[in-house]
Amino acid sequence: MSDWSTRLVQLARAEWQHLTQVQRSDRLWQMPVAAALATGLPLLVGAWFGHIEFGLVSSLGGLVFVHTPNTPMQHRMVVLMACAFAMTACYATGVICHFAPGWAVPAITFLTAVVTMLVRLYAMGPPGSLFFVMAAAIGAYTPVQVEDLPRSVGLLFLGAFMAVLIAFAYSLWALRLRAPQEPPETAPPSFDFVVFDSVVIGAFVGLSLALAQALGLSRPYWVPITCLAVIQGASLRAVWIRQLHRVLGTAAGLLVAWAILSLPLGPWSVAFVLMGLSFVIEISVVRHYGLAVMFITPLTILLADAAHLGSVAPGPLVQSRFIDTALGCAVALLGAWCLHDRRFRILVGRPMRRLIPPRLLR
């Protein structure tokens, strides 16, 4: 066997090892249960009153629960209340952009940059700024009337508030079983990590959305979500592995979504399916990202389109979602290369530094 073929086999084995590696998890089993309740209870309430579309909006706010840190009670409650406010503000901004479609791209770009800055400044862990941007992107492409805007924003806030209450009850139990960790010490904010990276990430997320709109994709909101999920890797290698996980996991997840959407789902069954998906995601996401994406894909499809089940054929929906994922991953890979290229950082970073007062750089 020649040298190049030997290296190719070794590279393939290394990639396969990265793709199949399963991490250990120290999460309490109560955490996935609480996450499922935070996502599913608003849907159960909506099904009870015959308005599943209201429950879906509140369920989106329930994603605040996944930001619960393993810290003392007073710290985690402050973090979760801040996340609930941020999620509501991002969704409200997105819904407002629905009435001015031309503002969607700059608004999503600005929100992504600002939220990423705040997440990095306060050393928040995964999923970082992902769900905040997802709420804004879904809100920007959710058809609502002007008079329904306060109700939609209020429903999301109620879901976020319920998630905070569930997190409080879960924390009372979890802190009896396991001692909390100390809050992360925030290092002095650096320009490159907090400002430069966040602006570049926001620019490429906005670029992905602009490309999705230019190509006339039916659901362009999924492209920036995918782009942000992939580009947040700590290194170019991590971004590449996450992209593979994202594409392969989405391909498998679309098959799961197609099977779910082919079932005669009603409001109650949608609620229980979403709760089951949330439970599995929180169990698997710390063990294997690709496996988690396999269930994240049908979860997000249901969150965005469950109110229109029966009026949309599963086949075209699944096909468009895969195209959205491929486009988002391609833009994310380009953005990651720029983020981790020294020449690009010098070329773009120097003029960006001139816009910031010297006292802030110090």
Side-chain angles (χ1 to χ4, degrees):
M1 185 178 292
S2 60
D3 292 340
W4 69 267
S5 57
T6 301
R7 288 196 296 268
L8 184 62
V9 171
Q10 292 175 347
L11 179 62
R13 287 178 178 175
E15 294 294 335
W16 177 254
Q17 183 179 3
H18 281 292
L19 286 174
T20 57
Q21 185 177 8
V22 179
Q23 306 292 336
R24 296 184 63 182
S25 173
D26 59 350
R27 280 187 172 179
L28 298 172
W29 65 266
Q30 292 89 346
M31 192 273 182
V33 173
L37 290 175
T39 305
L41 281 182
L43 289 168
L44 295 176
V45 175
W48 176 267
F49 289 102
H51 288 283
I52 187 65
E53 68 277 10
F54 296 167
L56 287 169
V57 177
S58 293
S59 182
L60 186 60
L63 294 173
V64 165
F65 178 86
V66 302
H67 294 275
T68 306
N70 296 320
T71 53
M73 180 68 82
Q74 64 273 19
H75 179 266
R76 68 173 67 189
M77 286 297 102
V78 169
V79 169
L80 286 173
M81 286 187 287
C83 289
F85 171 78
M87 183 80 79
T88 306
C90 289
Y91 181 76
T93 303
V95 174
I96 292 172
C97 289
H98 173 72
F99 303 104
W103 285 95
V105 172
I108 296 299
T109 302
F110 176 78
L111 275 178
T112 303
V114 171
V115 175
T116 304
M117 286 182 194
L118 293 174
V119 166
R120 293 189 169 206
L121 182 63
Y122 291 102
M124 291 180 60
S129 58
L130 177 63
F131 289 132
F132 303 107
V133 176
M134 186 173 81
I138 291 178
Y141 295 93
T142 300
V144 295
Q145 302 298 322
V146 175
E147 59 271 17
D148 296 332
L149 192 152
R151 181 179 63 190
S152 297
V153 176
L155 286 169
L156 186 127
F157 173 75
L158 288 176
F161 180 65
M162 182 180 291
V164 174
L165 295 179
I166 292 174
F168 177 74
Y170 159 75
S171 300
L172 289 176
W173 181 264
L175 290 175
R176 294 177 65 248
L177 302 177
R178 183 177 297 171
Q181 300 175 359
E182 289 299 320
E185 295 184 3
T186 56
S190 67
F191 172 83
D192 287 340
F193 182 71
V194 176
V195 179
F196 179 82
D197 287 4
S198 300
V199 171
V200 173
I201 289 172
F204 277 94
V205 169
L207 174 63
S208 68
L209 180 57
L211 288 175
Q213 288 185 345
L215 294 173
L217 300 182
S218 58
R219 290 169 176 81
Y221 60 82
W222 184 247
V223 178
I225 296 171
T226 302
C227 180
L228 180 60
V230 174
I231 202 175
Q232 291 185 117
S235 63
L236 189 58
R237 175 67 176 172
V239 171
W240 170 252
I241 294 299
R242 177 162 286 209
Q243 176 177 255
L244 290 179
H245 282 189
R246 192 81 188 183
V247 173
L248 297 177
T250 298
L254 289 174
L255 296 177
V256 176
W258 181 83
I260 292 174
L261 294 173
S262 300
L263 299 174
L265 295 176
W268 291 99
S269 54
V270 166
F272 287 114
V273 167
L274 278 171
M275 291 176 73
L277 290 172
S278 298
F279 179 81
V280 175
I281 289 168
E282 293 306 319
I283 286 180
S284 58
V285 70
V286 292
R287 293 180 169 89
H288 193 276
Y289 180 71
L291 180 61
V293 171
M294 180 176 172
F295 300 99
I296 292 173
T297 300
L299 175 76
T300 53
I301 289 177
L302 287 175
L303 281 175
D305 299 297
H308 309 290
L309 290 179
S311 61
V312 181
L317 180 62
V318 167
Q319 182 181 2
S320 64
R321 181 54 56 87
F322 185 78
I323 295 173
D324 297 343
T325 300
L327 178 59
C329 287
V331 177
L333 189 60
L334 175 61
W337 178 82
C338 293
L339 271 176
H340 300 286
D341 183 73
R342 183 173 177 272
R343 292 169 298 180
F344 178 85
R345 299 184 74 91
I346 295 175
L347 179 65
V348 180
R350 283 179 178 173
M352 193 181 297
R353 285 175 179 269
R354 297 192 187 102
L355 299 176
I356 300 177
R359 61 183 179 82
L360 294 181
L361 289 175
R362 289 195 298 267

